[in-house]
Amino acid sequence: MIVIHAVGSGSPSRHRRWWRKRVQWGGLLGLMVLIYGSHAPLIALTKVGGRVPFSSSSCVLLIEITKLLVSLATLLLTRDLSALRAPLSLALVAPYAVPAALYAFNNNLVVFMQIYMDPSSFQVLSNLKIASTALLYSSCLGKRLRSAQWLALGILMGAGVCHSYSSLDLEYPGQTEDQASSRLHITAWGLVLVLVYCFISGLAAVYTEQVLKSQRLPLSLQNLYLYVFGLAINLVSYLLSMGGEQGFLEGYSGVVWAIVVGQAANGLLMSVVLKHGSGITRLFVISCSMLVNALLSWALLGLQLTPFFLLPTSMIGLATYLYYS
């Protein structure tokens, strides 16, 4: 997590810089919480007849194009072009292909798995990536965690188990179809997909953090390398999915364009966190976004939250406190 040390008896300008940094990081992390928490409800809001009407591969491709263009514009505006004049080498650029492939797979998977669960189930269970990322973070990057932090991760795992048990697709006598559709639910396939999603998410985050911090390059240039590979991989994905008659922008609405803009911004902000913070910070952003997700699911989708839902939510809050206390 981003740690800002307390400032002693320094000059007023030093205090102002410290508070400015805190406000900037707070705003950045708050915006990420809002964007991440709204992603799954917005996807569910686009469904027509229970199905997503647009091509997920074209949506992800547009997200990659947007991030690439913003990274290029940032590099040009900052006039930090000295790195561009340096000769490119395979050892310098190739590492960015790995996270691009992993992120491309997960970006498509997160859209596909909405068929098998409701948005709040996805949001709560996606906190399992805290455990997978922490294990990879500790083993691959050599970061040691305290006993209380491992306990916090165990509590998060328990929260995921509690929620998955309470939200399994069970039939109840006398339950109407409308009541069943608005109840928290996840199928067996949905649970498998969430586990795959969490492992790949953790692996991609840890690997990306290692690459961004090991190379002394401008972040905008590193993003450029990353999104060039991301664009290429997702372009192939889109071309392979063109078997049907669906057009590139068919089924797009204002909500879909909001998803494109939001996810592009989230990807760019996430690179800032991984470069200057850690993958653990990213995971607690996701955890906190559960509240935004639940509120939007209730307001926009009419999702009925059962009292049992408060148990895993409280467990996640306790785990967050233990980890950073």
Side-chain angles (χ1 to χ4, degrees):
M1 188 174 183
I2 307 299
V3 179
I4 303 176
H5 298 286
V7 179
S9 57
S11 63
S13 61
R14 188 179 179 186
H15 280 281
R16 284 194 295 268
R17 287 195 301 270
W18 181 72
W19 279 107
R20 190 182 305 116
K21 187 175 182 180
R22 292 195 65 176
V23 171
Q24 288 173 346
W25 273 111
L28 183 147
L29 297 178
L31 181 59
M32 290 176 64
V33 168
L34 177 62
I35 294 174
Y36 196 96
S38 64
H39 183 50
L42 288 178
I43 292 177
L45 202 61
T46 66
K47 290 182 180 179
V48 177
R51 304 189 63 175
V52 175
F54 60 93
S55 168
S56 62
S57 57
S58 72
C59 180
V60 174
L61 184 60
L62 284 174
I63 292 171
E64 293 299 315
I65 292 174
T66 303
K67 291 190 291 187
L68 179 65
L69 293 177
V70 172
S71 298
L72 180 59
T74 303
L75 190 63
L76 294 175
L77 290 174
T78 56
R79 299 182 179 180
D80 195 358
L81 304 179
S82 58
L84 285 177
R85 300 189 185 97
L88 292 178
S89 64
L90 185 62
L92 177 69
V93 179
Y96 295 93
V98 176
L102 295 175
Y103 283 129
F105 179 84
N106 254 15
N107 286 337
N108 286 279
L109 181 61
V110 75
V111 176
F112 176 72
M113 71 171 63
Q114 299 301 317
I115 302 172
Y116 301 100
M117 67 190 73
D118 67 273
S120 285
S121 294
F122 165 73
Q123 194 69 29
V124 173
L125 289 177
S126 67
N127 282 279
L128 293 172
K129 71 179 67 174
I130 293 181
S132 63
T133 302
L135 289 171
L136 293 168
Y137 184 79
S138 178
S139 59
C140 298
L141 298 183
K143 305 292 185 179
R144 299 189 62 180
L145 301 178
R146 304 190 312 271
S147 299
Q149 292 175 320
W150 286 114
L151 175 61
L153 297 177
I155 294 174
L156 282 178
M157 291 288 292
V161 171
C162 289
H163 183 72
S164 62
Y165 176 79
S166 68
S167 59
L168 288 174
D169 248 347
L170 302 175
E171 295 183 359
Y172 292 90
Q175 188 179 43
T176 66
E177 185 176 349
D178 290 338
Q179 290 174 329
S181 63
S182 61
R183 182 177 177 271
L184 290 169
H185 69 279
I186 179 173
T187 65
W189 268 114
L191 186 58
V192 171
L193 291 175
V194 166
L195 294 176
V196 172
Y197 170 83
C198 290
F199 174 77
I200 294 178
S201 177
L203 180 62
V206 170
Y207 186 87
T208 303
E209 180 179 346
Q210 193 275 332
V211 171
L212 292 178
K213 290 180 175 178
S214 63
Q215 295 186 357
R216 301 185 63 180
L217 295 173
L219 180 57
S220 54
L221 181 59
Q222 291 181 304
N223 282 337
L224 201 62
Y225 292 151
L226 181 63
Y227 300 140
V228 162
F229 284 108
L231 178 59
I233 291 172
N234 284 286
L235 179 59
V236 172
S237 175
Y238 172 73
L239 292 176
L240 293 176
S241 65
M242 286 181 61
E245 298 180 356
Q246 188 175 33
F248 185 79
L249 298 179
E250 184 177 343
Y252 274 62
S253 61
V255 176
V256 181
W257 285 111
I259 292 173
V260 171
V261 173
Q263 291 308 299
N266 209 28
L268 293 166
L269 295 175
M270 196 66 73
S271 65
V272 176
V273 171
L274 293 177
K275 177 78 170 181
H276 302 289
S278 72
I280 301 298
T281 304
R282 165 184 172 271
L283 293 177
F284 278 89
V285 166
I286 296 170
S287 180
C288 293
S289 69
M290 185 194 66
L291 298 177
V292 175
N293 176 270
L295 289 174
L296 289 177
S297 296
W298 168 76
L300 300 178
L301 307 176
L303 188 69
Q304 296 178 1
L305 299 177
T306 65
F308 192 81
F309 181 74
L310 297 176
L311 175 61
T313 303
S314 301
M315 292 173 69
I316 291 173
L318 175 60
T320 304
Y321 172 78
L322 288 176
Y323 193 92
Y324 290 110
S325 62

